[in-house]
Structures are given as structure tokens and as C-alpha cells.
Amino acid sequence: MYKIVMVVIYFGFLIGVGLYFSKRAQTNADNFILAGRSAPLWVVVGSVFATWVNSASLMGYAGTGFGVGIAGYWPVAGFLFACIWMGFFVIPKLREAEVSTIPEVFGKFYGKQHRLTATVLVMCRDLAVTAGVIIGMATIFQSLFPQLSLDVAIVITIGVTLLVTITGGSWSVLYTDAIQSVFIIVGTVVLLPIAVSKMGGWEAFTIAIPETHTMVMNAGPRQTIGWVLNGIFVTLAYQTIVQRGLSASSTDHAKKALVYGGVVCSFWYVIPFVLGIAALVLFPGSRADQAYLNITGLLGPIPQAFFAIVLLSACVTTIDSCILTISSNITLDIYKPFINPNADDKILVRVSQIGTLVIIVLASLIARAFPYILELLWLGGRIMASGLSPVWMAIIFWPRSRHAPKSTLAAMITGAVVTVTTQILQNQAAAAAAGAGATTFIYSWDPVIIGLPVTFAILIIGTLIETKNIKTSLEENVAS
């Protein structure tokens, strides 16, 4: 009974926030998607943190700590560095240009074909993240109520998340994210010393850690490089984080939000890896994907339920952000430019709400087909990182590339195709790892290591050839 009460209180809070902001969010598309570009600093900081922290962060990276130890931190280091860098150098340019989505910038310089291609690549990442977190959230809900099937757990959890997002839009997403970020930090930080104490204290814990799990290159040099590249290039084109910066009340607050959020995450992200290593010491015969839940089970049923809800909150903060991001792509990058250019704000808000429903159903189907949790995030992320990120950065920082529509489009498509092909060729090993409970796959060749050089080669060489007779101004900027 106590589990039902705790879950009802938690879900009731989320729904209440969504209803509270419903009138403000639904006044126009900018309010629904970007909180009217007027969100307070503390709210955006909390939302940046909460966007990075999800079921993959706790269950996934705890499982990575269980499997390879502290070496799994490399992708985290990559994306946190990129997040802080974006706060200083990218978000101010985008705010000045008054854009709302990444594909919008592609359309501004190249036209509808590039915009549509960019939309597909952006959605690859966000759809995969949403699917991965959905399966994680349903698994957690099942741990609370084992009598429920996975499908029922999915319906209940995404139903609440969908209601919050559709009613309150970005306002409810930002505020629930910010409040839940405190919940997540406190809950996980408290869990760490409890887990260590169960092993007899810090000294006993450090003695029991396998030597391999303290090696920073335990996953091998190729996978380590792949993780770092994934972390950096996924973040550079991570539209959810971009839109957090665009939602801030000022450019100064946008910079601070990404920097502060990145710094907080850089410290917090040590926790799931240590918890995973602790689970390995305490439960050496268990599976990596159960590491976090096994640790919470040490504390008895009521604390375990509390920490399961901490994990649920981490899931909700990521899913609501991602589905809102994807719905903004459907509304602003597909519906308005291709279907109804004269749509008013009322219609755009309605399309965003319908798009949110469509996306959550599609992501749920993907989650059931590929229940990989953390690796699902990387699956779509690699496609976006290899195909979109290099061209996206070139648009902002290399003015000459803005005059090379053929080369940029070829680079995006070829890089994505090469990355997908590389993943498919290694699918058998990945499936075997998932079957054994691994949350992170160790590739012979991480697909991004193959895809990125192809994209850069086509982008750079193609642009130089395509624009050899075109004079470009180095003073151009993204707002021109």
C-alpha cells in the first residue's frame, strides 16, 4: 500500500504542475516550446542537469561501472566539456539569431531539403533517448509492482508524462525538471555512503574493488576514443540542451545555465559509476543492468521504493524534455514550412500536442523492439553526432560552408549512413552483450570513429571545391 501512496503523490505532483502552467503554455507556440524565452536562471540550470540525468544515467552508467569501472566516465567527460563550451560560444549566437530549432538554421542557409534532413537526424537521437528511457522507466515501475506486465508499466508511466507535457508544455517541463533535479541529487548522494557502509566502510570498499575497474582505459583505446567523440559530438547538436539555452530569460542566464549545469553534472556523474562498482563487490554474480536496483534493495522495502521513485523522476525529466523537443521539430520544421506556412499560434500549439502523442507512441514501440536502455541513447546519438554535428558546427563557425549546399548535404547523409552501417555490421556482438545484461557495448570499432572522419572529409574537401570561386566574408555570423 505504501508504494501506491508514494507513487500517487509523486505522479499527482507532476500532473498538478502541468495543469498549473497549462493556461500560460498554450497561449502561443513560443510559450509552449521555449517558455516564452523568459525562464529564470535557477529553473534552466535545474532543467539542464535533469535533462542529462535519466534512467540511463543511473541504471545505465551504474551498469557500466559494474562492467568496466571508472573507464565508463569518458563519454560523460566529453559531453560535459561540450555543454560548457556551448554555453559560451554557441547559445549566444543562436539567441541573437532568434531561432527555435537546429533544423531551422539549416533551412535558413540552405533551404527545405537541408532542413528536412537535419530534422530526421535530430529526431534520431531524441527518439532513441525517449525509447531508452521509456524502457528504463517501465522496468523501474515493474520493480515497484512486479505483478504488472512491462506493457502495462509503459502505458501508466508514459501516460502521466504525456499529460504533464501536453498540458503545461515547456513551462511545466522546466519547473518539474528543476524541482526533480534536487530530488535526484539528494536521493543519489545519500545512497552512496549507505552503500559503502554496507561493505564495511570506504577502506574495505577500495580494497575489494577489482584492479581493472580503477583503470581509466579498461575499455581499450578505440572504445575510449569513441566514447569521448560520442560525448562531444552528441552534445554539440543536442537540441534539447540548445532549447534550454534558448528558453532562458537572457543570454547571460543562458550561458550560466549551461556552465553551471555542466559543472554540477561533472561531479554528480561519478556517483552512478561508484554505485555500479559497489554492486559488483556486493553482488558479483548479478547482472550489470540490475546494479542500481540491487544496491537500493539493501535498505529494505520502503527505502527501496523511495530510490525507485528517485529513478522514476530521473526518467520523467528526460522523457518530457525529449518529446517536447521532437514535437517542436514536427511543428516548426515539418508542419509549418511544408504543410501550412500560414498556421497561427493556436494551430501550432495543437499540432505540438498531437505530435507529442505520436512521438511517445512511436518511441514506446522502439523501446519494446530494442530494450537496451543506455545503448539506445548511443544508437541514435551516434547517427546524429556523425551526420549532423560537424555540419552544424561548420554553419556557425566556418562561413564558407554556408555556400556549399551540395557538400553539406552529402556530408550529413553519407556520415549517417556509414555510422548506421557500422552499427549493423556489429549488431550480433551488441545483441549478445544486451542479452547478458550489459548496459554499454564495447565495440571493436565504435561506429562514430568510422562515421565522423567520413563526414569531415566530405564536408571540408567538398566545401573547398564547391566554393573555390565564391568569395565569403569572415565577418558573417549565424544571424546574417
Side-chain angles (χ1 to χ4, degrees):
M1 184 66 183
Y2 65 88
K3 292 181 181 179
I4 295 176
V5 172
M6 293 171 73
V7 170
V8 167
I9 291 173
Y10 173 65
F11 282 165
F13 159 73
L14 295 179
I15 294 170
V17 174
L19 293 174
Y20 177 80
F21 285 108
S22 61
K23 184 176 292 187
R24 185 189 305 185
Q26 297 180 36
T27 54
N28 57 60
D30 210 41
N31 258 314
F32 190 84
I33 294 169
L34 295 175
R37 304 177 194 261
S38 58
L41 174 61
W42 72 270
V43 171
V44 183
V45 172
S47 186
V48 168
F49 173 84
T51 299
W52 282 124
V53 177
N54 49 61
S55 61
S57 311
L58 285 169
M59 291 182 69
Y61 283 122
T64 304
F66 184 99
V68 300
I70 202 64
Y73 189 84
W74 282 108
V76 178
F79 72 62
L80 295 178
F81 167 79
C83 182
I84 294 170
W85 183 82
M86 285 179 64
F88 278 103
F89 300 107
V90 177
I91 297 300
K93 292 179 180 292
L94 299 179
R95 288 181 63 90
E96 184 182 351
E98 296 185 348
V99 298
S100 300
T101 68
I102 287 176
E104 182 183 349
V105 179
F106 281 81
K108 184 180 182 69
F109 287 105
Y110 304 119
K112 291 183 177 180
Q113 190 174 24
H114 283 70
R115 186 171 190 169
L116 185 59
T117 302
T119 299
V120 171
L121 293 176
V122 166
M123 290 175 65
C124 279
R125 200 272 175 182
D126 286 323
L127 261 176
V129 170
T130 305
V133 179
I134 282 174
I135 198 69
M137 184 162 62
T139 301
I140 299 154
F141 203 74
Q142 269 193 309
S143 75
L144 287 170
F145 306 103
Q147 68 274 21
L148 296 179
S149 69
L150 183 62
D151 290 325
V152 172
I154 288 176
V155 170
I156 293 173
T157 51
I158 67 172
V160 173
T161 306
L162 189 61
L163 180 60
V164 173
T165 309
I166 285 179
T167 54
S170 59
W171 282 108
S172 64
V173 168
L174 287 167
Y175 273 88
T176 53
D177 279 6
I179 295 169
Q180 288 181 105
S181 67
V182 177
F183 189 43
I184 294 165
I185 291 172
V186 172
T188 52
V189 168
V190 168
L191 183 59
L192 183 58
I194 294 174
V196 172
S197 69
K198 291 288 184 178
M199 291 176 283
W202 184 257
E203 185 176 354
F205 171 49
T206 55
I207 293 173
I209 297 175
E211 185 178 349
T212 54
H213 283 56
T214 60
M215 297 168 55
V216 295
M217 299 290 287
N218 188 30
R222 286 190 302 217
Q223 185 58 71
T224 299
I225 293 170
W227 278 343
V228 173
L229 292 175
N230 274 313
I232 292 173
F233 283 92
V234 164
T235 305
L236 293 178
Y238 190 179
Q239 186 174 270
T240 305
I241 293 297
V242 168
Q243 289 188 333
R244 291 295 165 268
L246 298 178
S247 298
S249 57
S250 69
T251 298
D252 181 59
H253 283 179
K255 288 181 182 178
K256 289 178 179 177
L258 265 68
V259 172
Y260 295 167
V263 170
V264 172
C265 282
S266 66
F267 288 103
W268 179 87
Y269 259 100
V270 174
I271 293 175
F273 291 102
V274 177
L275 289 175
I277 296 171
L280 176 65
V281 174
L282 288 167
F283 308 98
S286 62
R287 289 165 53 106
D289 56 4
Q290 294 297 310
Y292 177 84
L293 295 176
N294 284 338
I295 289 293
T296 62
L298 292 169
L299 309 175
I302 295 179
Q304 185 179 29
F306 168 77
F307 286 111
I309 292 174
V310 169
L311 198 47
L312 273 178
S313 68
C315 296
V316 171
T317 57
T318 298
I319 290 181
D320 58 13
S321 299
C322 285
I323 60 177
L324 187 65
T325 298
I326 302 171
S327 70
S328 71
N329 290 130
I330 293 173
T331 304
L332 301 179
D333 297 310
I334 296 177
Y335 180 78
K336 188 170 184 180
F338 293 96
I339 300 173
N340 188 2
N342 299 317
D344 59 24
D345 277 322
K346 185 176 181 180
I347 292 175
L348 292 178
V349 170
R350 187 64 62 202
V351 171
S352 293
Q353 292 173 323
I354 295 171
T356 300
L357 176 61
V358 172
I359 287 303
I360 202 74
V361 172
L362 180 58
S364 298
L365 295 175
I366 295 172
R368 291 297 282 122
F370 304 98
Y372 294 161
I373 305 180
L374 178 58
E375 198 60 30
L376 254 178
L377 276 66
W378 289 124
L379 181 69
R382 287 185 178 97
I383 298 170
M384 184 197 69
S386 298
L388 185 71
S389 281
V391 180
W392 168 236
M393 288 296 101
I395 291 175
I396 298 174
F397 297 106
W398 190 24
R400 188 165 179 168
S401 68
R402 303 171 195 166
H403 302 273
K406 294 179 182 178
S407 301
T408 50
L409 186 62
M412 285 194 291
I413 294 175
T414 307
V417 169
V418 168
T419 302
V420 170
T421 302
T422 307
Q423 290 190 153
I424 291 173
L425 291 175
Q426 300 181 81
N427 182 64
Q428 188 172 356
T439 58
T440 303
F441 307 155
I442 307 298
Y443 287 93
S444 298
W445 287 96
D446 192 296
V448 80
I449 294 180
I450 308 299
L452 270 175
V454 171
T455 306
F456 273 114
I458 295 173
L459 172 64
I460 296 171
I461 297 172
T463 296
L464 292 175
I465 294 173
E466 190 175 351
T467 62
K468 63 182 179 180
N469 296 320
I470 300 175
K471 293 182 179 179
T472 61
S473 169
L474 294 180
E475 284 75 33
E476 284 185 288
N477 56 58
V478 76
S480 62

